[in-house]
Amino acid sequence: MSVAMAKQSLTLELLLERYAICQLPPEAEIPAWAQRGELLAIIYTPEELSLVCVQRTVPPTVRAQRNWRALRVRGVLELSMVGVMASLAAALAGAGVSLFAVSTYNTDYLLVEEAQLPAAFQALAQAGHSLAS
């Protein structure tokens, strides 16, 4: 059985919006204010409903970590690829940059606090990855 390995170099695209990572009670409905923007992630567990959504739409009363920026891995990644997120996370961890990861059927997203973007860009470049212009 052959396993596809992650490319040595990945290209990432910075999304324009700022994002918030929100925590709601598990019984909450998905709010209309969250359903805007280029990225919306909904994660439900019996303990919570977590949302990654455009920051400008989040009411100030909602429990949220704000000022995150999203980097999208360019292209469609096969689900059988191994090591994509690990290569990105290792580069950021080595630079002391925390991340919040979201994966979709097609690709991966890394959310990094806006204040850490310069360090994230540098760490990713040193690991052989590039940022699309």
Side-chain angles (χ1 to χ4, degrees):
M1 173 188 237
S2 174
V3 175
M5 295 299 289
K7 297 178 201 172
Q8 293 289 29
S9 176
L10 298 166
T11 301
L12 297 113
E13 302 167 329
L14 178 65
L15 303 187
L16 296 177
E17 296 272 9
R18 286 181 180 86
Y19 288 85
I21 302 167
C22 307
Q23 184 185 46
L24 301 173
E27 67 278 1
E29 297 291 324
I30 299 166
W33 50 258
Q35 300 175 40
R36 307 267 190 287
E38 193 172 352
L39 174 63
L40 167 62
I42 302 165
I43 303 106
Y44 168 80
T45 70
E47 293 82 31
E48 65 181 322
L49 173 63
S50 291
L51 303 171
V52 174
C53 61
V54 174
Q55 176 178 296
R56 64 181 159 74
T57 65
V58 179
T61 56
V62 172
R63 182 176 187 189
Q65 294 290 317
R66 292 169 169 77
N67 294 318
W68 291 78
R69 298 298 301 274
L71 295 163
R72 173 180 44 225
V73 177
R74 181 182 272 178
V76 175
L77 306 174
E78 295 296 323
L79 293 175
S80 61
M81 289 182 76
V82 175
V84 173
M85 189 59 72
S87 69
L88 300 168
L92 295 177
V97 175
S98 64
L99 71 96
F100 189 93
V102 177
S103 294
T104 69
Y105 192 92
N106 281 343
T107 195
D108 294 325
Y109 291 79
L110 303 174
L111 285 100
V112 175
E113 290 180 278
E114 186 167 43
Q116 293 186 309
L117 266 182
F121 292 158
Q122 182 178 8
L124 292 166
Q126 287 176 345
H129 305 298
S130 61
L131 184 66
S133 53

